[in-house]
Amino acid sequence: MASSADAFDLSRKLRDRLRETNLEKERIQQKITLVNEMLQKMYAKKPKRSRDSKEQMEKQIEDLERKRTITSIPLAQEKKILRQIEMIQRQKKTLVDAEEHEVTIQNLKNELNLQRDLLRTAIAAAAEIDAALAKVELAKRLGCATTDLQMRVVDCPAEKMGPVIGKNGATIKQLENRTGVQVDVDKVGCKIHLQGSETALRAAVEELESITLAVEELVDLKQEAVSYLFTNRMAVLNEIQSEHPGVYFDINRDSTTMKLRGKPENLGPAKAKLLCLDVSSRTMDITSRETSLIVGKGGATINRLMNDYGVSINVSSAESTSSSVEVVGLTSSLDATFVEIESILFENEELEESILVQPLVRNKLLANNGAVMKELQAEIKTIIEPNGGSALILFEKISRDEGKSSSAMIVKANRTNLPIAKEAIQKKIAEVEANILTIHIDPDIIPAVLGKGGSVIASLRELGAGTEIFVDKSSGEVKIESSDEKSREAVTEAIDKIVAENQVMKIEIVKTLIGQILGDAGKELRKKITEDIGAAFNINSTDTHVVFRGTEEQINAGAELVREFIANNYTEESEVASGDEILLIIGGNKSMLSALEKTHNVRANLRKATNTVSIRGSKDDVQAATKELKIFLNGGDGVVICRLNVAEGVRGMIIGKGGSNLTKLEEKYEGVKVNVSPSNGQVRIRGPEEAVAKCRAEILTIIATAKVTETVLISSEDHEVLSKPETIRKISNGMPVQTTLSESFVRFRGLASDVRFAKASLKELQTGTYETSIELDESQLAKVQAAVRDPSHFNRIRDVSFTCLSVDKGSSAIVIAGKRGAVKKSKQEVFKFLNFLLPAEFDRFKVPKQLLKAMGDITQLAGIAAKSSASIYVDWDLNCIQVRSPDAESVQKAMQLLQKRLEEVEKLHMVQRFDQEDVWLLSKIVGKGGTTIQKLQEETGCKINASKDDCTVSILGESEDTVVKATATFNALVEKLRRECMFIDLPESAISVFIGKGGSNIKQLAETNNVKIERVRKIPTRVQIQGDEASVEAAKISINSWLAAWESKNTGVSIPIQDSVIPAIIGKSGSVINQIQKELGCRVDIDRQALTVTVRGGTEGQRKETIDRINLIVSEQQRMLEEKMEAENLLRAHASEEKAKLQVANGNSYSEPNKSVTPEEAQPVAADQRKDRSKEFASRPVGIAYTSNSKSTPKPTKQESKSNRKSSAKPKSVPKPEAVPIKPQIEGTTAVKGLFNLLMSDEDYVDADESMAVPISSENNDVGNGVDQNSDLPPVKSVYKSASGFSVRV
C-alpha cells in the first residue's frame, strides 16, 4: 500500500512538474515570437549601406576641401565641390546609422538564439518528465512497481509493418488495450519497442508474432454467401470468427472476395468452414400489396422470417405495381422459408366476387343514402373481426339505362372472410326479394303504365308507403316491391285496370301510305278514330305499323277504318333515270303523268328530290299505270330505248338551231322520239327497234365527224414551258388536233376524243398526273357499277398499276389517273375486266403507230360507225382504235370494216426504220430548213415524214405505184448519202497518233483529200469522213493505208468476243482493263463494232498472258450466263405448268384478247340472250387460301411488291428453281376464278407498238444538219410487218 501511495504521489508531482515545464515552454515560445517579429521589422527598415568606408569618405572630404582652399577655381566649380562635400557627409551619416542598426540586429539575433536554447531545454525536460510519468502510469496500469517494468525490442519485417500498425494505428491501439504494454514503432529501423511487465510483454510479443508470422489468403465466395454472412448484423460471420479466434476475417459487402489472415495452421479450418457453406438464393415476383404482407408492420414479419430460418430477405421494387422478394440462405432453409411466405400470401390473398342483384333490390339497399348497405357492412365487419382482415361491399357503376337491368354487387375480402361476407349478403338479398311481386303485360301497354313523363307510375308508387315499381319495356315485366302486402295488392289492381283500358292492335302499313294518313288525305280518318270512336293511334318508330290503343271495341272499329283507307290508297314507286324526269312533265295537261292519271284513275306524283314517280289508287289501277310508265321509261312491247353519252361541244350539233336537227330526225324515222337531257347531255332515242337503230347510226356519224373547241386556262409559268415548239408537239402527239397558244389559255380544236387526249396531256404537264377515261353505254355502266360494289376488282388493278380508278356516273365512264405509263397498264387491265364482264361488247383494233393517223381519218371512221352502229374512236394511249357497242354483232361488223380499211391504208404507206448507227441520215434526208425532204416530196408526189424520235421515215401516196416509185427514189438518196459520209473505226491506242500533235495529222489528211474528218463524240474510236463521193473514197483509202502501216509497227493478237462480256473486261470505270495493262505492260484495244479484243505492245509472253487473262474473264461470264439462262428456263417451264394446271382446275375463264376462237364461238349473241355477268361477282372480296407443305409466306406490302418488280428486271443473283410460288387455291364462282387467273398472270402489259413514236411532218421537223452525236435512242427492230402481212425491208 505504501508503494502504491508513493507511486500515486510521484505521479501527481510529475504532472505538476510537467505542467510547470509546459507553462515555461509556452512563455519562452511567446518571447521567441516577439523577438522574431522585432527582428523582421529591423530587417525591413535596414538602411542601404554605402560601398565606401568611413575612412575613405573622410579622405575624400579632405581632398575636396584642399582643392577648394588652395587652388584658384571659378565660383561655379567651388559650389560644385561644396555640393560634393555635403553629399559625402550625408553618406557618412548614413553609414554610421547603418552600423548602429546592424549592431541592434545582431543583439536581437543573440537574444533569439538564447531563447531557442532555453526552449529546447524546456522541451527536453518536458519529454523527460512525460516519459517518467508514462512509466509511472504504465506501472500503475499493469499493477507493478516501476522497477518491474522492462523494455523489449522486436524486429519486424518491412512488409509486415502495415498490418502491425493497422489503419490509422488501429492494430497498435488494440494491442495496447488488450495487453497493457506501451508500444513504439520505429518505421525506419523496422523495430517495435515494447515496455511493460514480464507477463504483458510476453502476451504482446505473442500477438505481434501472430501478425508478423501470419500469412494472407483470398477466398472467392458467391454473392449469395456474402449476403448470408451479413445476415442479422453479421451474426453468422461473428459466429465463424468466434470459432476461429486465430484468424482475421476481412470482407466488404460489395465484394465477393474475403481476405483471411493468420498462421497457416489456423487458416485451413477457417477456409474450409467458409467454402462448405451451401448458400443459394431464390426470387419470387410479388405485387405491391403482397410486399406489405411479407414485410409486416414495422418489418415484424420479415424480421421474424429471417430470425426463424436464418436467411437474408431482400424486397426490391421494380415498378410501382410490382416487386420481387429475394431470399438468400442455406439451401435447407430456403424451402421452408418460401413455404412460409406462400402460406402468408395464400391466407391473405384478396379475392373479388360479384353477386347479381335485381334493380329493385339494388334500389332498396341504396335507399336513404345507402343506410341498408352501411348496416350490412357493419354486420359483416362484426362477423369477421375474430379472423382479422376486412371486407368491402359496393355496387359497380352503371349508366342510367343500365340501371333498369340487373347489376352486380362486388364483394372484396381475403380468402378466409369472403365466404362469410357472401353468406351475409345473400341472406339480406333473400329478405328483400321475399317482398317482390312480378306480373307480365304486353310491352306495347308499358307506355300507358308509365304515363307521360312517368306521371302514372309515380301515382302508383304513392298507393303504398315505400313501394318501389320496376318496369322492363322490352319484355313487359313489372315488379312491385313493398314490405306491406296490402300495398302490393293495391298497385296490382291499379295496373290491371290500366291494361284493360289500353289494349293494343297493330296493322301493317307501307311507308308510302304514312304521309297519306298523317297528311290532308287522312284528316277525316283521324277525326273518326280519335273523336267518334275514342281510340288513340299512331305510327310505330320503325314506320311499319299503325298502332291503336283503347278498349277492345274501340281498337277493332278503328282498325276497320284504316284497312279500308289502305285498300283505296295502294301506292307504288318507280325510279326515274336522271334526265328522264323532264320527259314525264313536258306538255302540261297532255304530259305523260297527266295521261296516266286520266287513263287509269290514279294520282301520279313526281318527286324530283329522289327521282321517283309515286302512283296511288286501287291496286289494279296502280299496277296497270306502273306497267305503262316503265314501258315509257325503259322500253318493251316493241319499243326500245337507246342512250348515248355526248361531249358537251357536240350536243348543239345534234340538237340544231331551235331543235331543228332533232325535229328532222323524228320526221325521218317514224315513231322515234329524240331527247337531249339538259342535266348531263345524254341523248335518248325511243321508238321501234329498227327505226331507233338507224337513228342511232346517224347520230353516231354526227358525233364521229363533229369537231369541238375546248379551252384550258394556263399560268405564266405554263406559257413559258408551252412556248417551246417541242412541248406543243409532244402534247398533240401526232393527233389531228389544232392547238392555239395564248398567254392565258390553250385552245384545242378537233374530234372530241382527240381533244380529250390532248387536254389530258396538257393537264399532265401542269399537274404531273395523266388522266384518261373509258366511256360506257348506260347499260354497260349499270353492270360495271354492280360489279365494282365488290372493291376487290378495282383494288387489284390499283395494286398492279398504282393508279386511281373510279366510276364517273355523270360522264358514264371509268376514269383512270396516275403516271402515264401506269395509266396505260391500268387501261389494259380495265379492258380485260370489261371483256370478261361484258363479252363481245368491247374490242380494240391494233394499228401500227405510223399508220394510226391515217386510220383515224374522220370521214372513214364516221362511215364505219354508221355502217356498224358502234361507237368508234382513236385511243392514242394504246395506239389502237376502240370499238364499243351493247350489240356484239355491231362490234364484230366494225372490226371487219376496220380490217378492210387497214389493208387499204397499208398499200399507200411505206415505213423505213433506221438503226441507231444510221440516225445521222435523218438530218441529211430532211436537209437544212427541210429543203431536201421538200424537194423529194415534189419529185415523188408523196408526203414524206421523218421522225427522229423513233428513227423512221414514212412515205404516204395516193396510189400504190406512186409509193413504190417514191420508195425507189428515197432508197437512191440514202445510198448516195451513205457514199458521201463514211465512218472508220480505229484502235483506241492509235487514236492519239492518228490525230497528231494539235490535230496536225488529221488536218493534213483532210486537206490532202479535200474532205472533213472529225471524231464521233459518243464513240471516240470512230472517225467520220464527209465530202463528195470521190473525195470520201480517197480519204478512206488514205486512212486505211495509214492504219495498215501503223498496225505493222504495232503488231498485236486479236480474239473474238461477245458484246455481253465487254463490260466485264473493262470493269467499273475501266478498273479491270487498266489493272491488266498495268500489270502486264500491254495495250488492250476493244473494237465494239467488230467485237474483237486486240493486245499490242510488250513481249510475246506478256501478250499471251494478257490474252489468257481476258479468256478467263470471258469463260467466267459465259458460265454465269449459262447458269442464269438454265435457271430462268426452269422457272418459266414450272410457271407454265402451274398456270396450265390452274386453268384446267378452274374451268372456263375469260380468254386472252388475242386468243383465236372457232366460227361458232364468233357468232354474235342476241342482246336478250346474253347473260348478265355482273351478278357473278362475289358480294365480298374474293378470298384466297394457300395450301402448301412449306411454311406460308406473308403477303408482300405494296412497296415490297413494287420493289420486287424492280428487282426482277435485273436479278442480282440466279434464282433457285425451287423458289417458285406455291399454287393458290381460289374460292368463288367460275367467273371469279377466271378473272383472278388473268389478273394474277405474268403477262407483259406493254403494248408492242408503244415504242414507236408518231411521225412528224417535215414542216415541224426539228432535226438539224450534221451528225447527231448526242442521240441516245434505244435499239429498234430492222423489219416492220403490218397486221395484214405486208412487209417492208428496213
Side-chain angles (χ1 to χ4, degrees), residues 205-257:
V205 169
E206 289 180 0
E207 287 200 23
L208 284 175
E209 288 178 350
S210 67
I211 296 175
T212 56
L213 299 178
V215 296
E216 291 184 354
E217 188 171 350
L218 298 178
V219 181
D220 291 328
L221 302 175
K222 297 189 294 184
Q223 185 62 50
E224 293 85 353
V226 174
S227 301
Y228 177 67
L229 292 175
F230 280 90
T231 302
N232 292 337
R233 299 180 181 178
M234 303 179 67
V236 178
L237 182 59
N238 292 335
E239 182 180 352
I240 296 175
Q241 196 162 13
S242 63
E243 294 176 0
H244 304 277
V247 177
Y248 174 75
F249 296 84
D250 185 8
I251 189 171
N252 192 315
R253 186 185 295 269
D254 298 329
S255 174
T256 57
T257 301

Side-chain angles (χ1 to χ4, degrees), residues 587-604 621 625 628:
N589 294 331
K590 295 181 181 181
S591 65
M592 182 60 187
L593 292 184
S594 298
L596 288 175
E597 290 179 342
K598 294 174 182 178
T599 304
H600 300 284
N601 192 25
V602 295
R603 293 293 304 278
D621 294 339
E628 184 176 345

Side-chain angles (χ1 to χ4, degrees), residues 1152-1167:
E1152 301 293 335
N1154 297 328
K1155 184 178 179 182
S1156 61
V1157 295
T1158 63
E1160 293 77 7
E1161 293 173 337
Q1163 292 297 324
V1165 182

Side-chain angles (χ1 to χ4, degrees), residues 355 418-428:
I355 302 172
L418 185 62
I420 301 172
K422 284 180 62 178
E423 183 180 358
I425 293 169
Q426 289 170 346
K427 181 179 178 182
K428 181 57 108 178

Side-chain angles (χ1 to χ4, degrees), residues 986 989-1005 1015 1023 1042 1046:
L986 300 174
S989 55
I991 287 294
S992 59
V993 181
F994 177 78
I995 295 173
K997 187 175 182 181
S1000 58
N1001 189 36
I1002 195 170
K1003 288 179 182 178
Q1004 182 180 358
L1005 283 171
R1015 294 174 70 184
V1023 294
W1042 181 92
W1046 182 86

Side-chain angles (χ1 to χ4, degrees), residues 917-924 973-984 1011-1014 1016 1022-1033 1035-1036 1266-1269:
E917 60 184 12
D918 292 333
V919 70
W920 61 272
L921 286 168
L922 293 177
S923 59
K924 299 290 186 180
L973 174 63
V974 171
E975 290 301 321
K976 182 177 181 297
L977 292 174
R978 290 184 185 276
R979 290 193 295 271
E980 292 177 349
C981 181
M982 289 187 180
F983 295 91
I984 297 179
V1011 294
K1012 182 181 179 182
I1013 305 175
E1014 60 184 359
V1016 178
R1022 179 176 295 178
V1023 294
Q1024 181 188 36
I1025 311 170
Q1026 297 184 71
D1028 58 75
E1029 185 176 344
S1031 299
V1032 169
E1033 183 65 26
K1036 176 183 176 183
V1267 179
D1268 183 11
Q1269 298 172 340

Side-chain angles (χ1 to χ4, degrees), residues 233-370:
R233 299 180 181 178
M234 303 179 67
V236 178
L237 182 59
N238 292 335
E239 182 180 352
I240 296 175
Q241 196 162 13
S242 63
E243 294 176 0
H244 304 277
V247 177
Y248 174 75
F249 296 84
D250 185 8
I251 189 171
N252 192 315
R253 186 185 295 269
D254 298 329
S255 174
T256 57
T257 301
M258 175 179 281
K259 183 189 294 184
L260 302 183
R261 187 171 65 248
K263 293 183 178 180
E265 59 270 17
N266 296 332
L267 290 183
K271 180 178 178 182
K273 178 68 175 180
L274 289 172
L275 294 178
C276 71
L277 292 175
D278 185 14
V279 179
S280 59
S281 66
R282 195 180 302 172
T283 305
M284 174 193 293
D285 292 331
I286 56 176
T287 62
S288 56
R289 178 181 174 277
E290 292 172 340
T291 300
S292 60
L293 294 175
I294 294 175
V295 174
K297 188 175 182 180
T301 305
I302 195 171
N303 290 333
R304 178 180 62 80
L305 291 173
M306 289 192 293
N307 292 331
D308 292 348
Y309 298 101
V311 296
S312 171
I313 301 177
N314 181 31
V315 179
S316 61
S317 177
E319 298 177 3
S320 58
T321 57
S322 63
S323 306
S324 62
V325 57
E326 182 186 23
V327 181
V328 181
L330 299 177
T331 305
S332 57
S333 303
L334 288 183
D335 294 335
T337 305
F338 271 96
V339 168
E340 179 74 13
I341 291 174
E342 289 172 355
S343 175
I344 293 171
L345 297 180
F346 181 79
E347 292 174 359
N348 292 275
E349 182 182 5
E350 187 177 84
L351 303 178
E352 178 181 312
E353 290 190 12
S354 58
I355 302 172
L356 202 61
V357 179
Q358 297 182 23
L360 279 179
V361 178
R362 173 190 172 98
N363 295 341
K364 184 69 176 178
L365 295 176
L366 296 177
N368 298 328
N369 294 325

